[in-house]
Each structure stands twice: as structure tokens, then as C-alpha cells.
């Protein structure tokens, strides 16, 4: 558990893939027309998304530190994207929970006064993640309704000590939770127990109740995981009146169980939620399914982790 006094969100920059018009995102900086982004491979396209964001934040002055994540092996997109920029780099992998663990990492650096600001970048690409974790789309494998679809997009978020409208109040690092589920398509079910565990821990550590938040927003449980999450909370006698899941709400049309990927939660939050004047105190729960092709092929159960961060909006856009 961490509490912060002077950690703020200064700015963000987002890129959305070819299905941008089919999403519920109200505003974004850049939409790409196809999955190649004028590159020769899907992997290079994801690297380019990270580079475009990094160049945007380097336009005036370089951030003190860069923390970045993606889903490719050894975080290829992040590492290659950070080449030749001469910024201290930390690659961070918590699967789809990386969006919040990255912000927590920079927030803690700012709290110790070692840096003046920090940039977090994360990305996901439907066709790089699909190839790695399931099957290439060219294979033609059907996607079951319980599955989420990896969203294509990227976002950069800059944190600072200077006061802004958006304050990071507190955070809780989650614990790895065994779902006892072996189905890599059913990531919502895999992650729901860890989301419950982190929510309970955060409320207990902060001495708060769900009513203290105008919104609790999970990352990418999807429709299936969202239902399981709420059912598990009922067993703990916890009712969430103001609750949404970014993955379940990401697309306007029915796309299996919803969207997934480390970019989904921040894309939805910064391009939808933050424009809703009802929400002043928001708790983000970034959910992550920590599976790998090796683990799945060996028929092991899939662990998960969820990290929480509390954001206070003092003035709406």
C-alpha cells in the first residue's frame, strides 16, 4: 500500500487501431487506418506506436525516466521503441495489469524525490498478441464467446510533482492469485478472483468502503469476468453500485466478451471516463492474466494479478 502527497498526471497521448470508430472512446490523439501502420510487419507497427508516443513527449524536454510495457516476448515493442532516446528505461511486465503497475512505479519514484517527472507507455496489438498467445488470425481459429479480443492501441501517460487537475492519491500492489483455471480463452474468469482480492485489500488498507468512490473501474475482465467478479463480491458481502469494466465497455458492438490488453484500461479511462463529470474519486483495478504459451501447453492453471490506483479529479475537462 502506498499513499501520495504530490503526484499528479500531467498529460497523456493515445493511439487507437483500425477499429477506433467501433469503440466507445470519446476522444484520442491518433487513429491508424490498418494494422501495419505503414510498416512491413505487425511487430514493427506496435514498435512504431510506442515510438510515436515517445517522440511526442520528447518534443520539449525528455522525461526523467521511461517505464514501458507490452505483451510481446521480452517486451520487444518497448525495448526497441526506447532505442536511441537516451532516457533511463525500465521494462515492466505484469501482463494487462502493467498499466497500473507502471504508474505505481513512477509514482513511488516521484515520492522519493529522485526524479522530477516520469513517462509510462504501454501498447497492445491484436495481431502480435494473437500470434503469440493463441493462433495467428490467418489460421482461422474460431474465437469463443467467453474470450476477449486484444485491442490495438497505445498510450503514454506523464506523471509529475507539479499540481494538476488529476491527483494520484494511493495505490495497492496486488498478490499473484491462482485461478485454478486452465482455459487461456477465459481470461475474465482467470482474473476475477485476483480483482476481488486486490479490491478487498485496498479498501482495508485505506480504511474505505466502495461508497467512497464515484467509480470502480476494472481493466479487461470482459462481460464474462465482470459477472464472475460481481458474484464473488456478493459472497464477501460487498456491493458495487458504481462499477464498470473497461474491456466490457470498450467496443460499441458485441466483440466476444470484450476487449483486452494492457492499453485497454488507460485508453478507456483517459478517452472516456475522464470526460464524465460524475466521477471525482475513481479507483482503477488493472487486471492481468499471467499466462504463457508454455504454461498453457503444459496444462498448468493460470495465475493472475490485479493492481489498484486511486485518482482524484479536482476539475473536469
Amino acid at each position: 500500500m502506498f499513499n501520495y502527497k504530490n503526484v499528479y498526471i500531467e498529460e497523456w497521448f493515445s493511439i487507437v487501431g483500425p477499429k477506433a470508430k467501433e469503440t466507445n472512446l470519446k476522444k484520442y490523439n491518433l487513429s491508424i487506418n490498418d494494422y501495419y501502420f505503414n510498416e512491413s510487419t505487425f511487430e514493427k507497427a506496435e514498435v512504431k506506436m510506442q515510438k510515436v508516443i515517445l517522440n511526442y513527449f520528447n518534443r520539449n524536454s525528455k522525461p526523467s525516466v521511461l517505464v514501458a510495457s507490452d505483451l510481446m516476448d521480452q517486451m520487444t515493442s518497448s525495448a526497441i521503441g526506447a532505442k536511441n532516446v537516451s532516457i533511463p528505461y525500465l521494462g515492466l511486465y505484469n501482463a494487462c495489469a502493467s498499466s497500473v503497475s507502471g504508474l505505481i512505479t513512477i509514482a513511488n519514484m516521484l515520492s522519493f524525490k529522485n526524479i522530477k517527472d516520469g513517462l509510462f507507455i504501454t501498447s497492445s496489438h491484436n495481431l502480435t498478441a494473437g500470434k503469440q498467445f493463441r493462433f495467428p488470425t490467418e489460421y482461422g481459429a474460431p474465437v469463443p464467446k467467453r474470450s476477449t479480443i486484444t485491442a490495438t492501441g497505445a498510450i503514454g501517460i506523464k506523471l509529475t510533482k507539479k499540481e494538476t487537475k488529476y491527483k494520484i492519491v494511493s495505490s495497492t500492489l496486488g498478490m499473484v492469485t491462482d485461478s485454478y483455471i486452465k482455459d487461456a480463452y477465459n481470461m475474465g474468469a482467470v482474473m476475477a478472483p485476483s480483482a476481488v482480492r486486490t479490491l478487498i485489500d485496498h479498501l482495508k488498507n485505506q480504511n474505505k468502503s466502495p461508497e467512497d468512490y464515484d467509480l470502480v473501474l476494472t481493466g479487461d475482465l470482459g462481460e464474462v469476468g465482470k459477472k464472475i467478479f460481481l458474484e464473488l463480491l456478493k459472497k464477501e458481502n460487498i456491493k458495487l453500485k458504481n462499477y464498470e469494466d473497461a474491456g466490457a465497455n470498450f467496443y460499441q458492438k458485441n466483440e466476444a466478451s470484450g476487449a483486452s490488453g494492457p492499453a485497454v484500461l488507460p485508453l478507456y479511462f483517459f478517452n472516456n471516463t475522464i470526460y464524465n463529470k460524475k466521477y471525482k474519486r475513481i479507483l482503477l483495478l488493472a487486471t492481468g492474466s499471467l499466462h504463457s504459451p508454455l504454461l498453457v501447453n503444459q496444462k498448468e492453471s493460470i495465475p493472475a494479478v490485479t493492481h489498484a490506483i486511486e485518482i482524484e479529479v479536482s476539475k473536469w475537462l
Side-chain angles (χ1 to χ4, degrees):
M1 179 189 73
F2 305 99
N3 292 293
Y4 308 107
K5 291 183 178 180
N6 298 300
V7 178
Y8 299 90
I9 299 167
E10 180 179 309
E11 190 180 11
W12 58 88
F13 185 94
S14 56
I15 300 174
V16 185
K19 289 190 175 185
K21 293 181 180 179
E22 300 175 22
T23 68
N24 284 310
L25 305 184
K26 296 179 179 180
K27 188 177 180 180
Y28 39 82
N29 299 94
L30 178 63
S31 172
I32 60 178
N33 295 324
D34 61 65
Y35 288 108
Y36 283 100
F37 202 6
N38 296 322
E39 296 292 334
S40 58
T41 66
F42 302 133
E43 287 74 17
K44 288 182 178 179
E46 187 170 353
V47 170
K48 185 175 180 179
M49 286 194 294
Q50 293 231 4
K51 283 185 175 180
V52 168
I53 291 173
L54 189 52
N55 289 337
Y56 172 82
F57 283 99
N58 278 343
R59 68 195 189 282
N60 295 321
S61 61
K62 291 182 180 180
S64 300
V65 65
L66 169 63
V67 178
S69 70
D70 62 81
L71 294 177
M72 280 201 281
D73 284 335
Q74 289 77 49
M75 294 186 296
T76 304
S77 299
S78 304
I80 296 177
K83 288 197 308 182
N84 306 319
V85 295
S86 300
I87 300 174
Y89 163 83
L90 176 62
L92 197 64
Y93 186 83
N94 278 229
C96 299
S98 300
S99 57
V100 164
S101 63
L103 295 178
I104 292 173
T105 300
I106 296 175
N108 288 347
M109 291 179 182
L110 287 167
S111 295
F112 284 110
K113 302 179 181 179
N114 293 328
I115 60 172
K116 63 180 179 67
D117 56 24
L119 175 62
F120 172 69
I121 300 178
T122 190
S123 64
S124 55
H125 193 293
N126 180 273
L127 300 175
T128 64
K131 184 190 303 182
Q132 179 168 302
F133 291 104
R134 296 189 181 106
F135 301 101
T137 54
E138 294 84 355
Y139 182 79
V143 178
K145 285 290 185 180
R146 65 185 180 275
S147 177
T148 50
I149 306 299
T150 305
T152 299
I155 187 167
I157 306 157
K158 187 178 180 181
L159 302 189
T160 180
K161 297 175 186 176
K162 298 178 182 178
E163 185 175 355
T164 71
K165 305 172 189 175
Y166 317 105
K167 182 178 182 180
I168 295 181
V169 178
S170 65
S171 67
T172 296
L173 287 174
M175 302 179 191
V176 175
T177 304
D178 194 341
S179 66
Y180 302 104
I181 294 172
K182 301 179 181 181
D183 180 6
Y185 280 109
N186 201 356
M187 291 195 298
V190 167
M191 298 184 292
S194 82
V196 171
R197 184 177 186 179
T198 299
L199 175 60
I200 292 172
D201 287 346
H202 182 82
L203 295 176
K204 181 179 179 181
N205 293 338
Q206 294 294 331
N207 193 26
K208 289 187 175 182
S209 69
E211 290 72 28
D212 290 318
Y213 297 103
D214 300 313
L215 176 68
V216 174
L217 181 65
T218 49
D220 55 352
L221 295 177
E223 290 292 346
V224 172
K226 177 182 176 180
K227 292 177 182 177
I228 297 172
F229 175 66
L230 292 173
E231 286 297 322
L232 292 174
L233 285 178
K234 282 184 182 179
K235 295 181 180 180
E236 300 290 341
N237 295 315
I238 297 175
K239 293 183 179 180
L240 294 181
K241 294 182 179 179
N242 300 313
Y243 166 65
E244 293 180 9
D245 179 72
N249 293 350
F250 195 83
Y251 292 113
Q252 294 174 354
K253 299 179 181 179
N254 181 22
E255 292 279 349
S257 184
S260 61
V264 168
L265 177 60
L267 281 175
Y268 187 80
F269 176 71
F270 286 104
N271 296 295
N272 182 300
T273 305
I274 210 162
Y275 294 95
N276 193 324
K277 295 183 179 181
K278 294 190 301 181
Y279 304 139
K280 182 178 180 181
R281 296 165 300 174
I282 305 157
L283 182 65
L284 303 182
L285 294 169
T287 46
S289 176
L290 303 175
H291 68 283
S292 69
L294 177 64
L295 183 119
V296 172
N297 289 336
Q298 292 180 350
K299 309 299 181 183
E300 297 291 336
S301 59
I302 302 171
V305 69
T306 298
H307 303 303
I309 197 163
E310 179 181 354
I311 297 173
E312 187 175 284
V313 181
S314 60
K315 185 177 180 181
W316 296 284
L317 293 174

